[in-house]
Amino acid sequence: MKTRSRPTIRTPKAGLTLTAEEVVTDYRLAVRSRAASVIGRREVLTGKAPFGIFGDGKEVAQLALAKQIREGDWRSGYYRDQTVSFATGVATLPQFFAQLYADTTVERDPFSAGRQMVSHFATRNLDESGEWRPMVDTKNSASDLSPVSSQMARALGLAYASKLYRRDEGIRAFGRQLFSRGGDEVCFATVGNAGCAEGIFWEALNAAGVLQVPLLISVWDDGYGISVPNELQVTKGSISEIVRGFAPAEGGKGVDVHVVRGWDYVALLDTYALVTESVRREHAPALVHVVEMTQPQGHSTSGSHERYKTRERLRFETEMDPIARMRQWMIREELATAAELDGYEREDRHAVERIREEAYQTFARPILAERERAVALLRRAAEESGAARIAEIADQLERQPEPGRRFADMALDAALVELRDRDVPVRAELRALLRTERETSHERFRSHVYSTSARSPLRIPPVAAEYAADAETVDGRMVLLRCFDELLARDERVFIIGEDVGRLGDVNLVFEGLQAKHGELRLTDTGIREATILGQGIGAAMRGLRPVVDIQYLDYLMYALELTADDLATLRYRTAGGQMAPVVIRTKGHRLQGIWHTGSPMAMLLGALPGVRICVPRNMTQAAGMYNLLFESDDPALVIEVLSGYRLKERMPSNIGQMRVPLGVPEVLRAGRDATLVTYGAMCRIALEACVQLEELGIDVEVVDLQTLDPLDLRGVMGASIERTGALVVADEDIPGGASAHILRHALEVQGAQDRLDVPARTLTAVAGRTPVGQDGDHFTKPNVTDVVRAVYAIARERDPRRFGEIW
Ligand SMILES: Cc1ncc(C[n+]2csc(CCOP(=O)(O)OP(=O)(O)O)c2C)c(N)n1
């Protein structure tokens, strides 16, 4: 019998041709992806995995998208993207299931080593020693985030890097080996329809239109954001309808807008082929609104969509299921028969189930082996001690159905408590096992908050400032200006973005004339959009560049705080060392006036930003030294310059481009015998002034400038000073119980200074309210010279009331 050859399809607009085999391969990938969603959900609902969120209903559009993603390109998406991740090789099924079970190995969950929920994908762009891997030969995926729409900001930056790699000669030459082939790379962002209601979405869209970067945004529209329908999310209930104003007029700039249905394989192939081609060639951003998508299993494993979707909607979702529609179309087009597809589907579902089982066993095996070791030791302990309770603990541990490391940890702990009064040799072994298991688990769960590479800021050697005999004395801003001038000249990766940094050269003229000298791509004015200025920096830093993100005032970092905390600060941690974004945020704080220019919300930063170094230089020379060090290193950092310091005089170091101030190393600004005054930033000058008065009162104060709040005093400078003086005052401009409490805890608890104090330690802070405008307002709300004198005097009087009588 003659067999008919299978047809080849050709898409009507882009003219893509696909053989029947290629279509079947696509289809089977969609089927396997769906099976992963269904099986994944079951695993959560039966208690074997912690949480599930999957990409069911989004499969077919992602097959089409994946075809356009090339080596060197980036994805910046969200948790619905498993199909595009499978299709581009960013993820495999075993890896997907390993993440579902929170497997803690990088080998099995390369996205997050068990630190992120399932479907939070990422490529490993750093090698084991923390150095960049080439990203021009791989399809890259930025590490997914859970906060809705937060991927949009750094998507802008990933695309912006292409612009720099294409347009700036120095940057292009630098990028060639590892990062970019002439800036041809596209960033593919994905976002949910409800995510379009977030402010950050609009900010990113607007910035993309202004900047003209190769960003292709896909909106996966399944009609809801959990239970809330489109009508309550966006005006007119349709994102494409309302963004039409972004579309470019003839020959003009803008964001191209397209609409396509999520089950229409051929239209999707066409749309993505045509749109990607122009985004890549023209560096013109585009938005593809993919409508009529479905969510057959509901939003996540936390709920069921039958509660909020109407019967009609549920019926629509069944009818418009993209896999079912693709199947009907394939049969219609005679690309495959129903019987063939049935066979593939059966085979694929079994294959996925086998992969899942293997992933589970591989995840559980080492944990169960560790448990067996613990059980064996507990049994010996029971025998040696004769304690019945220990035998029970061993039995309970052995019977525990769930593979979790905490059970052995708690059992060993409980056994040691039980044996507290018994002198049995096995105790030493129990302690040793508990200690080693804990150490390994700390490494497993707590590592990679900061860099541990050779470029960690803690490993970069400091260089002291040098001064010529005739060193000029200049405004502080000039010290920084020369530092940045040299930095831009010697390091082609560095560029500065922010409000008023370019043409004006910063509102305090710190960059005056630098744009004219180094070019508009190295110092670039941006719109007033702090969150996406940061995102622009994060994305570019992920592609090897070294942005200075300039936030005009520290108080306005609040607009970007979500991203600083959620994306920048966690990137290294959440990828277990697989990605980094060494962004340096430059801002100004401390000591101006008015509610929004007081600039001292340090506790907020300390609480929100572990993962970001926090530098609080007292003057511009120290700031320059910190910048020089940070650009040699690979941790992200926030540098808060003293806002009132740009016109204060400083001597210009002769090695301004080379000097480096180490992080975590406080400086003793004044030696003294009677009390230790610990402070930082703008308070240093106030503290030193107060010391002159205190000297007259017979009190000799040692002043310690912490210089950085993260890391904080790595060498125990505070403790050593307190050892000499026996008294401590911590002074800063934050609220009571803010950074001062953090510093106090470090001195007393971490450095053990509690026992070295003759009198109780004190803190001196701003008031627990707000700072009004005007010098008087400042005087009565922030610590000033007299406040410092009073605080230190009070301590001296407490120690020796006869010598230091009552004054106030
Ligand atoms: C900033 C933020 N707010 C709330 C949530 C909780 N949440 C998770 S997903 C989601 C709905 C998102 O809907 P959509 O953007 O349409 O994407 P979908 O999940 O439907 O694909 C919400 C409200 C979140 N993750 N982040």
Side-chain angles (χ1 to χ4, degrees), residues 8 18 24 84 103 110-111 149 192 228 237 253 410 419 464 507 520 526 623 684:
T8 294
L18 275 91
V24 168
V84 70
D103 190 317
F111 322 127
S149 227
V228 182
K253 289 182 185 175
M410 291 187 291
L419 292 177
V507 284
E520 283 187 22
T526 65
C684 289

Side-chain angles (χ1 to χ4, degrees), residues 437-452:
E437 296 287 348
R438 274 205 179 166
E439 275 165 11
T440 332
S441 273
H442 286 180
E443 173 60 26
R444 221 171 252 134
F445 297 112
R446 300 181 180 187
S447 60
H448 297 294
V449 176
Y450 297 100
S451 166
T452 48

